[in-house]
Amino acid sequence: MSADDPLVRVDGLQKYFWENDSLLDRLFGDDPVPVRAVDGVSFDIREGETLGLVGESGCGKSTTGETLLGLQDPTDGRVEFEGENVYDLSGDDLTDFRRSAQVVFQDPFSSLDPRMTIGDIVTQPLSIHDWPWTDGDVETTVDVRTDGISRDIVTATAADDIDTVVDPVDGVATAHVTVRAIDDESAADVDADGRSVDLASGVVAEVEEDLAVAVDRDDGIVVRVSVDRSTAQLRRDRVTDLVERVGLSADQLDRYPHEFSGGQRQRIGIARALALEPEFVVLDEPTSALDVSVQAQVLNLLDDLQAEFDLTYLLISHDLSVIRHVCDRVAVMYLGEIVEVGPVDDLFEDPKHPYTNALLESVPRASTDERDRDRETLSGDVPSPRDPPSGCRFRTRCPKVIPPEDLEIEQETYRDLMSLRERVERRDVSLESVGDDGQFDLEDGVSDEKRPAFVAALKDRLLERDLPARHDEIVETALAELATEDWDAAAARLREHYESVCERKQPHLGNGHHPVACHLYGEASERTETPRSDP
């Protein structure tokens, strides 16, 4: 992997959950139905940055994170970590990836085993991956500095396994030792704990790393550096350090999860995720179950840990204030697809996609100056991922859906007509309740005499505003088809006149500094700037 390549690259990732796919369904000839939780997601994450993944609940954010890590089997697509396809890894390579990529789960209550102490919980990944690891190809050496003693009389050696404690650099694990002369009076003040300091006649040796040092004086001075701790003690020491680093204390290691608050449990989850020294961490809604004051503490902790351990984050959240506080870039997700990606400041100050703009409009403002601002609320509900809309998936709720090329119409009017079309196509109109009880007989079809009244009553129910004459005529003709319950003919007539490029063509995200998947920024953008209403 070159310096310019991202640490994580996601390309066309898909994750479908199948319904009607059991053996019994197959015997009866039922076709499997895909629930498209993640459908063609692509993004990059560079080393050391935090990418935020935002969107409404149910849009596929958490499934993306789980599939990216291999916790869910992908339906299609590719995920690269350090240039290698994660889904092609096996054996030791797959184990290395699992060590390097970890996750902090959303719910700090259910993600911890209630039968294990927190010491056991944080120790578990160390035991599973047989930590500490030593590499026979790593060279071990000692860098010796002297004070009041000639360097020529000092001989230093390091045990072969000190790389379990000291991170190798360019294939060499180096311990740093200072050897200095000391008189008998000063020797009493030296803390000779047998691990980082050792005394000999007139000599003290100190090692900077968390290792044991031994010094002997005969004809010369011999210094030996070693780990001098059992595997169990090494693990215990690492767990203690991690627990203290996330803001808990070592005397809490033997307590159980139910003895901690939500914020403390999330800190335990963070310590567990850091146990194997990962490079990349997926943070799946890490603060959503916490109080606001505790959220700030956990976010600041994550920020500090990222700087200290050189971590790369994928932060999944629906809380835009959290995203703005923590992230470098943001990817906005809607119904299984990425619709906009950009630097956090650019996206918050100049959102391009109508969905992103609607998300930002939903954020409460602290300033009273904005209490009277106009808010663009979204119409309708999120479509089902079992049967997502064609083209742009946001088009069924978009306040800026693009009219056909030959149709010059106000956006609000066109939005109403699109909503009417969608209801007719779904047959989501109760014809039996039109008019007074028994006014219209649908069983044999509404008579020609009563048809105008039926159309007027139905139009009054379905439309909130008067239409220009041309569109009023088209709608009345389509609704008249419903007098004989000919849904297909009504839908076809409305489609003929009001079909949008947003439903015919799927917009692509593209590349660049701030890409957006929206036809407003494609070929159709020029004619949507100054729409005119029909007479």
Side-chain angles (χ1 to χ4, degrees):
M1 185 182 78
S2 70
D4 295 331
D5 290 334
L7 178 68
V8 178
R9 171 169 286 158
V10 180
D11 184 17
L13 183 64
Q14 292 182 343
K15 176 58 183 176
Y16 294 173
F17 297 94
W18 296 91
E19 297 180 338
N20 298 341
D21 196 31
S22 67
L23 178 60
L24 191 61
D25 291 321
R26 295 173 198 168
L27 289 174
F28 282 98
D30 292 336
D31 293 329
V33 177
V35 178
R36 295 175 169 84
V38 180
D39 201 8
V41 165
S42 299
F43 56 81
D44 295 340
I45 310 176
R46 300 201 169 273
E47 187 173 356
E49 82 166 340
T50 300
L51 176 70
L53 186 60
V54 303
E56 293 171 287
S57 296
C59 70
K61 306 185 299 296
S62 294
T63 305
T64 297
E66 292 171 4
T67 309
L68 184 156
L69 292 175
L71 301 179
Q72 300 271 9
D73 292 329
T75 302
D76 199 1
R78 180 183 180 92
V79 173
E80 293 182 4
F81 182 79
E82 295 184 329
E84 297 289 333
N85 187 357
V86 170
Y87 304 132
D88 289 342
L89 299 178
S90 61
D92 291 342
D93 292 334
L94 180 58
T95 300
D96 289 342
F97 168 71
R98 288 172 173 164
R99 293 170 181 168
S100 299
Q102 292 290 311
V103 60
V104 176
F105 294 101
Q106 176 178 356
D107 187 357
F109 298 91
S110 64
S111 61
L112 303 178
D113 190 334
R115 298 165 297 179
M116 298 174 66
T117 66
I118 70 165
D120 291 338
I121 288 171
V122 182
T123 303
Q124 188 177 47
L126 302 176
S127 302
I128 291 173
H129 287 269
D130 199 24
W131 187 94
W133 314 298
T134 182
D135 187 345
D137 295 330
V138 171
E139 180 184 350
T140 61
T141 186
V142 182
D143 176 37
V144 178
R145 287 166 292 193
T146 59
D147 182 5
I149 295 174
S150 172
R151 175 66 181 84
D152 295 338
I153 66 171
V154 179
T155 302
T157 60
D160 292 338
D161 62 349
I162 70 166
D163 62 312
T164 60
V165 176
V166 180
D167 292 331
V169 177
D170 297 329
V172 179
T174 303
H176 299 83
V177 174
T178 300
V179 181
R180 55 188 173 85
I182 190 169
D183 54 36
D184 292 340
E185 183 176 332
S186 300
D189 298 328
V190 175
D191 182 14
D193 61 5
R195 186 158 159 188
S196 58
V197 178
D198 194 29
L199 293 166
S201 177
V203 174
V204 61
E206 301 171 272
V207 61
E208 293 181 8
E209 290 76 19
D210 192 12
L211 296 166
V213 62
V215 58
D216 294 321
R217 187 161 191 178
D218 194 0
D219 295 335
I221 298 173
V222 178
V223 177
R224 294 180 297 276
V225 178
S226 62
V227 176
D228 197 29
R229 280 174 286 167
S230 67
T231 295
Q233 186 58 49
L234 283 170
R235 291 174 183 171
R236 185 77 175 183
D237 291 344
R238 175 157 181 78
V239 169
T240 299
D241 180 66
L242 285 169
V243 167
E244 291 178 343
R245 184 62 193 84
V246 299
L248 302 175
S249 62
D251 59 10
Q252 296 174 311
L253 288 176
D254 295 324
R255 297 184 184 179
Y256 289 86
H258 72 270
E259 300 179 74
F260 295 89
S261 67
Q264 290 174 319
R265 295 186 202 189
Q266 197 61 290
R267 291 172 186 268
I268 297 166
I270 294 170
R272 177 178 59 185
L274 297 179
L276 296 172
E277 303 176 359
E279 298 176 57
F280 173 59
V281 181
V282 174
L283 305 170
D284 186 6
E285 302 269 15
T287 60
S288 64
L290 308 179
D291 294 337
V292 175
S293 60
V294 180
Q295 286 184 19
Q297 296 171 13
V298 172
L299 291 173
N300 290 333
L301 171 64
L302 290 170
D303 194 40
D304 293 342
L305 293 172
Q306 183 175 35
E308 181 176 348
F309 295 107
D310 298 323
L311 297 172
T312 301
Y313 288 152
L314 172 63
L315 174 59
I316 298 169
S317 181
H318 62 265
D319 190 332
L320 292 172
S321 59
V322 168
I323 291 293
R324 187 162 199 178
H325 177 71
V326 173
C327 297
D328 301 302
R329 291 188 303 125
V330 185
V332 182
M333 194 167 184
Y334 181 79
L335 204 61
E337 297 181 340
I338 300 293
V339 297
E340 186 170 359
V341 180
V344 63
D345 290 336
D346 291 357
L347 189 135
F348 274 80
E349 294 170 9
D350 183 27
K352 294 182 177 180
H353 199 283
Y355 177 63
T356 307
N357 190 67
L359 284 181
L360 296 178
E361 281 291 321
S362 69
V363 178
R365 306 295 201 272
S367 173
T368 57
D369 296 338
E370 299 191 39
R371 61 188 173 187
D372 295 326
R373 78 185 194 278
D374 292 332
R375 299 172 179 83
E376 288 190 16
T377 58
L378 295 178
S379 62
D381 299 321
V382 180
S384 170
R386 293 172 178 81
D387 185 23
S390 62
C392 175
R393 294 189 174 179
F394 186 58
R395 66 174 176 82
T396 59
R397 306 171 69 199
C398 181
K400 297 181 179 180
V401 64
I402 300 172
E405 293 185 19
D406 59 348
L407 191 67
E408 294 177 346
I409 188 173
E410 293 291 341
Q411 178 58 235
E412 293 81 3
T413 303
Y414 185 63
R415 178 70 267 172
D416 286 350
L417 291 171
M418 288 291 288
S419 299
L420 171 64
R421 252 193 69 198
E422 290 154 13
R423 292 192 63 179
V424 170
E425 289 174 348
R426 296 196 308 265
R427 304 193 179 191
D428 184 24
V429 180
S430 176
L431 301 179
E432 292 79 5
S433 61
V434 176
D436 299 329
D437 290 342
Q439 182 179 358
F440 305 111
D441 181 13
L442 291 171
E443 185 173 348
D444 297 323
V446 179
S447 64
D448 293 342
E449 180 182 351
K450 292 185 177 181
R451 190 165 298 182
F454 174 83
V455 170
L458 187 55
K459 186 172 66 171
D460 185 60
R461 174 193 293 183
L462 299 178
L463 294 171
E464 296 181 358
R465 71 185 78 232
D466 293 334
L467 300 175
R470 172 189 172 188
H471 302 296
D472 194 57
E473 181 181 352
I474 295 170
V475 168
E476 287 188 352
T477 304
L479 296 182
E481 303 284 2
L482 299 183
T484 57
E485 297 188 84
D486 192 345
W487 295 93
D488 292 337
R493 183 171 295 277
L494 293 172
R495 187 183 308 112
E496 175 187 357
H497 292 280
Y498 300 118
E499 188 176 42
S500 169
V501 64
C502 298
E503 58 189 296
R504 292 196 309 271
K505 295 177 60 178
Q506 181 180 18
H508 297 290
L509 186 61
N511 300 310
H513 177 72
H514 187 168
V516 56
C518 180
H519 290 303
L520 290 170
Y521 300 90
E523 299 175 357
S525 60
E526 295 183 2
R527 62 184 179 79
T528 61
E529 294 178 358
T530 56
R532 299 186 299 274
S533 59
D534 282 352

